[in-house]
Amino acid sequence: MKKDRITTTNKAADTFKTDLLVYLAVEAGKKMPLCPDAVKSQVKKAFELKDFQGKASEQLSFYPPAKASAKRVMVLGLGDLKGEKDLPLALDALRESGGHLAKAAEKANAKEMVVVLPDAKHLSPGVPDLPSAAEAIAEGVILGDYRFTKYKEKTRKKTDYPGLSGVRFVCDGELNAVRAGVTRGKNAAFAACSARDMANEPGNGWTSADFATWAKILAKDTGLAYRCIEKKEMETLGMGGILAVNQGSAVPPRLVVLEYRPESATETILLVGKGLTFDSGGISIKPAASMEDMKYDMCGGAAVLSAMQAVAEEKPDVAVVAVVPATDNMSGSNAVHPGDIIRHYNGVTSEIINTDAEGRLILADALSWGIETYKPTCVVDAATLTGAVIIGLGHHYTGLISNNDALSEQVIEAGRMSGEPLWRLPLDKHFKKQIESKVADIKNTGGRPGGTITAGAYLSNFVDDTPWIHLDIAGTAWDFTEKAYIPKGPSGTATRTFINLIRHWKTGKVRPAKDAKN
Ligand code: BES
Ligand code: MN
Ligand code: ZN
């Protein structure tokens, strides 16, 4: 779907020629669902026959009179939003309704859809305002309409549903505010779809060079600043972690950077994402089962770059810089060995115990270089870092590790507002002790116990007292909790959390915690 084919209007809904005209209904307990007058008689009939209560995902379809401009009419239940305990949950229910809209469009083979947004008074008090509801629904439709068919060539049929080509949102009042809401939803959802596109590319379709090209094009189109540190410069700078991981590879590594630094900004958010384009494990090679999923090991990098797409559109007050260390992790005669000792950008030496614990090696250089270069107010990294986080939190929560309570609060809230829940894990000296090495400053694994946290403990050596968040997205970057707006395969997780964090950034709230217990 093209971005400019999603529009918002306050013209009468039944004047548009469309494949599918949708009205939304809010469940009202024992009473008739709350819905627009245009479908009241049908909804009343269906309600009396106990065919339709307006529950979430419930649908009522009928055909309009021959002269009508819509081919099909549908009423979609939004559920009882009042029953949701809090705003983030209500918004996620609406996002999911958006996903159901995309699914209904596919079922009806509808390319054009008109969606009549609910009346503001039908929403309260579950969701305080119509623009936020419109934002969530628009986000859900776009995320739910996502598909990746680039490599389906001979097997793609002419009759296959290609996805929506246009959606028109119709509202009764507050046109400008609702349109702004839809635009916010669009920006966030299209950014997350960019992240999914990058992730869906296989290892041979998305290398470190593709990260660089993507970022360069975005910069050229939007005015963001682009830079890329190539292998030679990494050697000069002493980025021993990225270079070590790249040793077995046929493709040179890259450190890809996008900068948004408005003159007025007083604070800077640094985003760092693991851009491991394929993780074979290296010499400590992974088992063959599901190794193909390791093409998704770049989802952290995809999240931080795609968030910059929305940053470029929305031009927030805070500066944002995204850094992606990108390489694959391969074995070969030149590959790094278990037992090798490397030196990171900040001088910390590390004993490689397991070459499959490579994410932390590339992030270490990126974190310390990024912090030294941009002196950020805070740094947030996202990485598919450990299988252990899937054991602990399943595919439902991203693991969060931090040295700063105020920043953790802001990021956890941003995740809740995005439908991307985060769970903070502890980080203290006991975990740091697990990665002490006999021969170097630290070692790159701490054994199986607390594997997600010892990975975080490793990273903590490269952030000093800069307020820092590490997001372990290994359980959520793909196979994320099943929802109508989350497809099978890569979810685009963390992109929308980053966008929300940036949108609601509270200047002056985050300071280095000099007295932190960690
Ligand atoms: N990319 C993997 C983590 C991963 C595993 C993500 C499964 C998603 C699904 C990472 O590089 C890795 O291999 N981590 C090791 C660390 C261990 C050797 C200390 C792991 O989790 O097994
Ligand atoms: Mn690995
Ligand atoms: Zn990895």
Side-chain angles (χ1 to χ4, degrees):
M1 195 163 25
K2 294 230 172 62
K3 223 172 170 178
D4 59 2
R5 294 297 320 279
I6 301 163
T7 54
T8 312
T9 174
N10 57 3
K11 295 210 180 78
D14 55 9
T15 56
F16 300 110
K17 262 183 104 71
T18 188
D19 300 318
L20 182 61
L21 169 58
V22 188
Y23 294 91
L24 303 170
V26 179
E27 189 186 359
K30 292 207 166 62
K31 292 201 215 110
M32 187 183 134
L34 305 163
C35 65
D37 289 342
V39 288
K40 237 179 197 153
S41 67
Q42 284 94 336
V43 168
K44 186 161 183 281
K45 226 182 280 174
F47 177 69
E48 282 165 1
L49 290 168
K50 298 202 166 26
D51 285 346
F52 183 80
Q53 276 95 45
K55 290 193 186 318
S57 87
E58 223 184 338
Q59 296 171 11
L60 182 66
S61 295
F62 45 90
Y63 298 97
K67 278 187 294 194
S69 45
K71 287 191 196 146
R72 290 179 172 84
V73 177
M74 184 182 102
V75 183
L76 174 74
L78 295 178
D80 174 7
L81 294 165
K82 286 182 213 156
E84 299 294 354
K85 277 192 244 30
D86 56 15
L87 176 65
L89 283 183
L91 290 178
D92 206 45
L94 289 167
R95 212 175 275 124
E96 195 147 15
S97 292
H100 289 301
L101 287 175
K103 286 197 156 70
E106 171 160 19
K107 207 166 145 212
N109 198 27
K111 308 207 172 59
E112 301 283 338
M113 180 164 69
V114 172
V115 180
V116 182
L117 292 166
D119 209 314
K121 67 174 184 291
H122 293 169
L123 286 172
S124 62
V127 177
D129 63 277
L130 183 60
S132 310
E135 173 183 349
I137 294 169
E139 207 170 283
V141 173
I142 299 160
L143 291 168
D145 183 54
Y146 177 83
R147 47 197 26 83
F148 184 79
T149 53
K150 183 174 160 188
Y151 294 101
K152 280 267 180 202
E153 289 163 16
K154 295 278 197 300
T155 51
R156 181 164 36 179
K157 295 192 220 72
K158 277 218 177 66
T159 51
D160 282 354
Y161 177 66
L164 280 160
S165 51
V167 182
R168 205 186 291 270
F169 290 99
V170 179
C171 67
D172 216 4
E174 301 180 70
L175 178 63
N176 287 337
V178 170
R179 187 174 279 153
V182 168
T183 301
R184 279 195 304 275
K186 259 200 298 202
N187 290 343
F190 275 98
C193 289
S194 290
R196 290 176 181 174
D197 277 342
M198 296 179 205
N200 268 314
E201 284 288 352
N204 62 347
W206 197 264
T207 67
S208 65
D210 295 287
F211 265 125
T213 307
W214 192 93
K216 198 173 184 173
I217 291 172
L218 182 72
K220 194 163 160 275
D221 289 350
T222 60
L224 296 179
Y226 160 83
R227 70 197 271 198
C228 178
I229 296 184
E230 311 267 347
K231 187 174 175 185
K232 270 252 145 53
E233 197 180 347
M234 287 182 191
E235 285 165 354
T236 315
L237 290 169
M239 293 184 165
I242 305 175
L243 289 164
V245 173
N246 182 256
Q247 264 172 232
S249 176
V251 183
R254 286 168 177 94
L255 191 82
V256 178
V257 184
L258 280 175
E259 302 173 0
Y260 166 76
R261 298 208 282 172
E263 258 176 44
S264 55
T266 53
E267 298 195 336
T268 301
I269 300 174
L270 175 65
L271 304 176
V272 176
K274 172 178 174 182
L276 214 294
T277 57
F278 182 75
D279 183 9
S280 73
I283 297 295
S284 316
I285 195 163
K286 285 183 181 295
S290 301
M291 204 205 269
E292 69 278 10
D293 281 351
M294 284 298 123
K295 67 181 174 186
Y296 298 142
D297 211 13
M298 34 54 72
C299 284
V304 307
L305 288 191
S306 64
M308 295 307 281
Q309 182 181 316
V311 167
E313 304 255 12
E314 298 187 352
K315 303 193 171 37
D317 296 332
V318 63
V320 188
V321 177
V323 176
V324 178
T327 175
D328 53 4
N329 181 24
M330 299 296 289
S331 57
S333 57
N334 213 27
V336 69
H337 313 147
D340 283 0
I341 296 175
I342 63 162
R343 179 173 286 103
H344 281 297
Y345 177 75
N346 69 347
V348 170
T349 60
S350 173
E351 180 189 10
I352 309 300
I353 302 296
N354 188 322
T355 65
D356 197 11
E358 84 299 336
R360 62 201 77 183
L361 304 183
I362 67 171
L363 287 170
D365 290 337
L367 285 167
S368 50
W369 177 83
I371 287 169
E372 186 188 273
T373 308
Y374 296 102
K375 305 188 175 35
T377 316
C378 73
V379 52
V380 187
D381 76 69
T384 47
L385 209 61
T386 66
V389 79
I390 309 174
I391 306 302
L393 300 174
H395 293 289
H396 308 301
Y397 280 76
T398 287
L400 181 152
I401 290 168
S402 179
N403 61 2
N404 192 287
D405 294 344
L407 180 61
S408 295
E409 251 168 54
Q410 281 202 44
V411 176
I412 287 169
E413 181 58 14
R416 270 163 53 74
M417 291 298 280
S418 316
E420 298 182 335
L422 312 170
W423 197 261
R424 189 171 178 184
L425 303 169
L427 170 67
D428 62 31
K429 60 179 188 220
H430 305 301
F431 297 100
K432 293 178 183 172
K433 196 166 164 26
Q434 274 179 253
I435 54 164
E436 280 173 8
S437 162
K438 288 199 176 74
V439 292
D441 296 330
I442 50 177
K443 60 182 178 184
N444 83 330
T445 64
R448 277 169 61 82
T452 300
I453 307 179
T454 51
Y458 191 93
L459 300 179
S460 73
N461 286 285
F462 304 91
V463 296
D464 293 325
D465 63 356
T466 305
W468 158 71
I469 300 274
H470 161 57
L471 299 179
D472 194 332
I473 57 171
T476 52
W478 69 98
D479 292 347
F480 193 20
T481 320
E482 215 177 305
K483 282 186 197 170
Y485 67 88
I486 296 173
K488 296 226 152 42
S491 61
T493 203
T495 301
R496 290 180 304 107
T497 295
F498 287 146
I499 295 169
N500 257 312
L501 175 72
I502 293 161
R503 282 178 184 163
H504 303 290
W505 181 252
K506 296 189 191 80
T507 301
K509 283 264 159 41
V510 171
R511 298 250 168 283
K514 292 254 181 345
D515 54 349
K517 295 176 281 301
N518 315 310

